[in-house]
Amino acid sequence: MSLLFSPVKLGNLTVKNRIWLAPMCQYSCFAGDGVPTDWHLQHLGARAAGGFGLVISEAAAVVPEGRISPEDAGLWNDTQATAWKRINDFIHSQNALSGVQLAHAGRKASTRSWIADVPGVATAAEGGWTPVAPSAIPHPDCHPEPHVLSTEEVRDIPRQFAASARLARDAAFDVVEIHAAHGYLLHEFMSPLSNTRDDEYGGSLENRIRLTLEVVDAVREVWGDRPLIVRISATDWVEGGWDLEGSVALSRELKAHGVHLVHVSTGGNVNAEIPVGPLYQVEFAARIRAEAGIATAAVGLITTPAEAEGVLERGEADVVAIARAALREPSWPLRAAFELGDQPEYPRQYERGPWRRPA
């Protein structure tokens, strides 16, 4: 058996393989109410049937103002939880586990999605709102100046994440991933480029990671011993910004606070020159795994089964997360199993169409 198809322990659960679906926003809650639709059922369900061991849904906002766009998914009320449970029930029927990425977009909220004719900030008429942030520093991509969260408002954020974690439990999610990457609210607090506060949430590294750790603790209290992941951007790719050294220090703290795995991405907080290419983020997952002593997931232009297997063989990460390649090919794991010499687990309905070698 290849390493990709060996099971992996995550908290109190075992995931059948090490190929996970990374969260990818669909911007398809067309009613603007955060309730996932049939699109989400087919999108996530197809990847579960396609062999992914853990299917992580897109960013689900913990409050309405935490959405990236008016069409974002959410998990702040019972109606949303009921809709998610329908999707999770199908994912489970395909012998896969289901995860949810709990998120708050911070200063990058209230943007137009693909539904609009032009990109930019959503107006009030389009369902938009004033975004919030640690400091009065808008994101450089034409975002408005955000509302600066007061100390008391910041202290309420862990409660918001915890409330969503309770709903995630009701919705039958197996795994919670806390979104602290890509320039969204928790990442904004961690980076000196977006956080110039002078209270206990700004200044020193200890203060800038405080909110993320408080969110982890609040979620852990209601989530119990179920699997808990945190996704981070390991670097801003800009001098003076959030960097690998801070990410290693944060990851050590996350492990001490009961996090089982760090999902390692990069960038998103400011505009930067990013050397995008095959496996370009894997080195960060490897360094965090080695130096913080915590399991990691690697993501970022991992497109072929050989590349993914190589990441595991070299000990650079414990699992690989597939994103854009999974949009092109929902059954990517089935092809990977074929190419690596493993036995694909086809749904019975698809057994007449297996991968075959030329005669």
Side-chain angles (χ1 to χ4, degrees):
M1 178 182 290
S2 64
L3 291 176
L4 276 176
F5 288 92
S6 62
V8 59
K9 190 77 172 174
L10 186 66
N12 63 352
L13 295 178
T14 297
V15 189
K16 68 179 180 180
N17 63 39
R18 297 168 188 255
I19 310 172
W20 297 358
L21 182 71
M24 290 174 285
C25 288
Q26 301 295 293
Y27 308 111
S28 296
C29 298
F30 303 117
D33 55 6
V35 177
T37 65
D38 285 349
W39 177 265
H40 300 87
L41 173 63
Q42 72 79 27
H43 168 66
L44 298 169
R47 277 77 192 168
F52 286 89
L54 173 63
V55 175
I56 308 177
S57 72
E58 65 194 82
V62 298
V63 288
E65 63 271 22
R67 293 171 293 167
I68 303 167
S69 79
E71 290 77 37
D72 272 27
L75 191 51
W76 67 79
N77 63 41
D78 291 333
T79 302
Q80 295 158 348
T82 299
W84 281 118
K85 187 175 185 305
R86 170 179 176 241
I87 295 168
N88 290 335
D89 287 345
F90 181 82
I91 291 172
H92 292 149
S93 76
Q94 302 306 302
N95 193 30
L97 298 182
S98 178
V100 61
Q101 186 183 67
L102 299 183
H104 192 305
R107 67 178 184 167
K108 292 177 73 174
S110 190
T111 59
R112 294 190 181 113
S113 70
W114 61 267
I115 295 172
D117 292 331
V118 293
V121 178
T123 66
E126 295 168 320
W129 60 93
T130 301
V132 303
S135 302
I137 305 172
H139 190 276
D141 284 343
C142 300
H143 288 263
E145 183 171 311
H147 164 74
V148 178
L149 293 163
S150 69
T151 302
E152 288 305 312
E153 287 173 323
V154 175
R155 289 172 180 162
D156 191 50
I157 291 168
R159 180 200 60 78
Q160 297 169 357
F161 275 83
S164 285
R166 288 190 187 92
L167 291 168
R169 186 182 59 200
D170 297 341
F173 282 105
D174 303 295
V175 177
V176 159
E177 176 174 283
I178 295 169
H179 198 358
H182 299 162
Y184 299 121
L185 186 65
L186 298 183
H187 183 180
E188 292 165 19
F189 270 88
M190 293 191 290
S191 174
L193 300 179
S194 47
N195 181 355
T196 58
R197 300 175 72 93
D198 58 8
D199 62 2
E200 67 260 39
Y201 294 99
S204 67
L205 175 65
E206 178 185 7
N207 284 354
R208 286 183 281 111
I209 68 174
R210 186 185 305 277
L211 178 59
T212 297
L213 296 179
E214 289 179 349
V215 166
V216 166
D217 289 344
V219 168
R220 172 58 69 204
E221 186 173 347
V222 302
W223 191 239
D225 61 354
R226 298 173 179 87
L228 181 59
I229 299 172
V230 175
R231 192 174 203 188
I232 68 169
S233 284
T235 178
D236 283 337
W237 296 103
V238 173
E239 186 176 353
W242 182 251
D243 58 16
L244 179 59
E245 182 180 356
S247 294
V248 170
L250 169 66
S251 297
R252 291 193 185 110
E253 290 294 326
L254 292 174
K255 182 178 181 179
H257 285 250
V259 171
H260 297 109
L261 179 142
V262 177
H263 189 172
V264 184
S265 188
T266 64
N269 191 42
V270 293
N271 293 336
E273 292 291 330
I274 301 177
V276 176
L279 312 181
Y280 74 107
Q281 296 178 149
V282 171
E283 64 176 300
F284 298 100
R287 288 279 301 276
I288 289 170
R289 185 177 189 263
E291 297 177 26
I294 190 169
T296 60
V299 68
L301 286 185
I302 303 171
T303 58
T304 71
E307 288 173 343
E309 182 74 4
V311 169
L312 302 184
E313 288 178 342
R314 294 186 296 272
E316 294 169 323
D318 297 271
V319 302
V320 294
I322 305 297
R324 288 170 176 82
L327 294 180
R328 296 188 293 271
E329 190 175 358
S331 297
W332 192 96
L334 296 180
R335 178 169 63 86
F338 168 75
E339 291 188 8
L340 296 173
D342 290 304
Q343 182 63 42
E345 295 183 17
Y346 288 95
R348 292 296 298 272
Q349 296 93 326
Y350 291 171
E351 286 181 348
R352 289 174 293 174
W355 289 92
R356 290 189 176 93
R357 301 192 184 282

